[in-house]
């Protein structure tokens, strides 16, 4: 039994290691692609204090994500040890897959079907909350930047915001013919109905912390702050949310969209590219490292005690 456990741990660790190697290859390819388009030689960090502040905000983001997860499963009687396991497991999976997949299927266990449905309901709720907040801010950013120009963009964000907000606060009701299936009965019964306001507010604060980090990294690179860039970032986040995910989430694609939007308003491409990358690193890579340490210690406690 111990041999099987050690083999399982080794295989899981090897898989994570291989994926990190793939990520390194992706960075090398990206560097070669952008080498002739961007010039990073002239970029210098002019103020390390702002970069240090970004690092200090990382635990706040991590805590906000944990509280959102806790609020989404409050209505279920789930031991905290299981909550920890599912939460950290989802963080690791999120490094390689789209966020919604990680917070639903990425938290699944092997045998407990009902618990898996609870993870799915919680993941859909937190994902929809963050999506709604992002769309609302994107609508505000588009309205502030374009006014009556490009109304199709502004109204697209407005329409999606209204639809997602309605879907968030109204309980899911499937058609009667689908309710004949037990799966749909379980999903409708497990759709969380409480703490929705708290989860939405936590999502707003999480969005604000992400935004502050982005602007602080820009300041660290010597780009002066202007109120306009707040609205540009809102629009960027909205477009990034609509973009498809690839092997490692939205890496590279996220940075490209940010560069495209900010350079439209005459911001330097190189600084925006590195700022988007640094923000991603602080809020994705660091949590994955914490989650891997936590999961590894759990494995050791289970298999070698």
């Amino acid at each position: 039994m111990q041999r099987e456990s050690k083999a399982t741990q080794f295989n899981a660790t090897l898989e994570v290691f291989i994926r990190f190697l793939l990520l390194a290859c992706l960075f090398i390819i990206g560097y070669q692609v952008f080498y002739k388009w961007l010039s990073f030689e002239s970029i210098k960090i002019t103020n390390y204090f702002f970069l240090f502040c970004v690092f200090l905000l990382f635990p706040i983001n991590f805590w906000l994500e944990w509280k959102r997860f806790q609020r989404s499963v409050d209505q279920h009687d789930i031991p905290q040890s299981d909550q920890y396991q599912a939460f950290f497991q989802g963080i690791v999976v999120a490094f390689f897959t789209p966020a919604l997949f990680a917070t639903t299927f990425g938290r699944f266990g092997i045998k407990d079907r009902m618990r898996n449905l609870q993870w799915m309901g919680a993941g859909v709720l937190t994902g929809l909350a963050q999506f709604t907040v992002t769309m609302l801010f994107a609508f505000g950013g588009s309205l502030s930047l374009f006014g009556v120009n490009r109304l199709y963009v502004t109204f697209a964000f407005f329409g999606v915001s209204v639809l997602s907000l309605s879907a968030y606060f109204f309980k899911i009701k499937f058609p009667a013919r689908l309710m004949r299936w037990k799966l749909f009965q379980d999903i409708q019964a497990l759709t969380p109905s409480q703490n929705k306001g708290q989860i939405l507010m936590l999502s707003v604060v999480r969005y604000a912390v992400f935004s502050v980090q982005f602007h602080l990294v820009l300041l660290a690179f010597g780009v002066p702050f202007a109120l306009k860039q707040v609205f540009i970032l809102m629009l960027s986040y909205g477009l990034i949310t609509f973009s498809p995910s690839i092997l490692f989430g939205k890496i590279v694609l996220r940075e490209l969209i940010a560069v495209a939007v900010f350079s439209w308003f005459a911001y330097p491409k190189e600084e925006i590219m590195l700022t988007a990358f640094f923000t991603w690193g602080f809020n994705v890579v660091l949590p994955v490292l914490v989650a891997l340490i936590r999961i590894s210690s759990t494995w050791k406690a289970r298999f070698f005690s």
Side-chain angles (χ1 to χ4, degrees):
M1 184 66 182
Q2 264 195 343
R3 288 181 181 177
E4 291 180 1
S5 301
K6 290 178 182 178
T8 303
Q9 180 183 0
F10 175 76
N11 291 336
T13 305
L14 181 62
E15 182 180 353
V16 171
F17 177 71
I18 291 173
R19 288 179 180 271
F20 269 107
L21 284 179
L22 289 173
L23 179 62
C25 293
L26 185 63
F27 279 137
I28 294 171
I29 293 170
Y31 174 78
Q32 294 298 326
V33 170
F34 299 131
Y35 181 74
K36 294 183 179 179
W37 180 43
L38 302 172
S39 176
F40 296 108
E41 292 82 1
S42 60
I43 296 179
K44 294 181 181 179
I45 297 176
T46 60
N47 195 320
Y48 285 92
F49 172 74
F50 291 125
L51 214 56
F52 181 66
C53 290
V54 176
F55 177 77
L56 291 179
L57 287 173
F58 151 68
I60 298 176
N61 250 336
F62 198 77
W63 178 82
L64 287 169
E65 185 61 26
W66 165 248
K67 297 307 290 184
R68 288 186 341 128
F69 172 70
Q70 272 194 317
R71 293 290 179 270
S72 66
V73 296
D74 269 353
Q75 67 175 0
H76 309 302
D77 186 20
I78 302 176
Q80 194 168 56
S81 59
D82 290 352
Q83 292 184 28
Y84 279 130
Q85 180 66 25
F87 177 71
F88 287 113
Q89 181 178 309
I91 287 176
V92 174
V93 175
F95 185 75
F96 310 109
T97 64
L100 184 60
F101 181 92
T103 56
T104 52
F105 299 104
R107 290 174 177 161
F108 276 17
I110 298 176
K111 297 180 179 179
D112 196 334
R113 176 178 177 275
M114 185 57 64
R115 184 58 50 79
N116 288 340
L117 288 173
Q118 291 170 352
W119 298 141
M120 179 178 286
V124 170
L125 184 70
T126 54
L128 189 57
Q130 199 65 57
F131 178 81
T132 301
V133 168
T134 304
M135 290 300 104
L136 286 170
F137 278 108
F139 163 67
S142 179
L143 188 63
S144 301
L145 291 170
F146 300 133
V148 294
N149 300 318
R150 295 181 177 81
L151 281 177
Y152 60 93
V153 177
T154 304
F155 277 111
F157 282 122
F158 176 74
V160 174
S161 301
V162 172
L163 288 175
S164 59
L165 196 63
S166 301
Y168 180 74
F169 279 108
F170 291 102
K171 191 170 183 178
I172 297 174
K173 288 188 177 181
F174 295 106
R177 59 182 179 180
L178 292 179
M179 290 301 292
R180 298 173 186 172
W181 299 86
K182 190 175 186 306
L183 174 64
F184 292 98
Q185 295 174 12
D186 292 337
I187 292 175
Q188 182 163 304
L190 289 169
T191 303
S193 57
Q194 60 183 15
N195 298 331
K196 286 188 175 182
Q198 294 181 34
I199 294 171
L200 193 68
M201 288 308 301
L202 287 169
S203 300
V204 171
V205 177
R206 183 170 176 267
Y207 181 98
V209 174
F210 267 107
S211 301
V212 170
Q213 285 180 307
F214 188 93
H215 298 305
L216 284 174
V217 175
L218 271 184
L219 286 171
F221 285 130
V223 179
F225 176 78
L227 183 61
K228 186 178 183 180
Q229 76 187 43
V230 174
F231 302 117
I232 299 173
L233 185 60
M234 290 179 182
L235 179 61
S236 299
Y237 279 161
L239 295 174
I240 289 169
T241 302
F242 275 129
S243 66
S245 295
I246 53 177
L247 180 61
F248 297 97
K250 297 177 186 291
I251 189 171
V252 177
L253 194 60
R254 177 196 300 105
E255 287 78 10
L256 283 175
I257 293 173
V259 168
V261 176
F262 273 87
S263 60
W264 178 273
F265 295 94
Y267 276 80
K269 297 189 295 291
E270 293 81 5
E271 281 82 352
I272 297 300
M273 171 70 76
L274 288 180
T275 297
F277 176 75
F278 268 86
T279 308
W280 173 82
F282 278 118
N283 294 292
V284 177
V285 176
L286 288 180
V288 168
L289 295 177
V290 172
L292 285 173
I293 293 171
R294 170 75 190 205
I295 291 173
S296 177
S297 63
T298 303
W299 281 343
K300 290 178 181 178
R302 285 183 181 177
F303 303 138
F304 301 105
S305 58

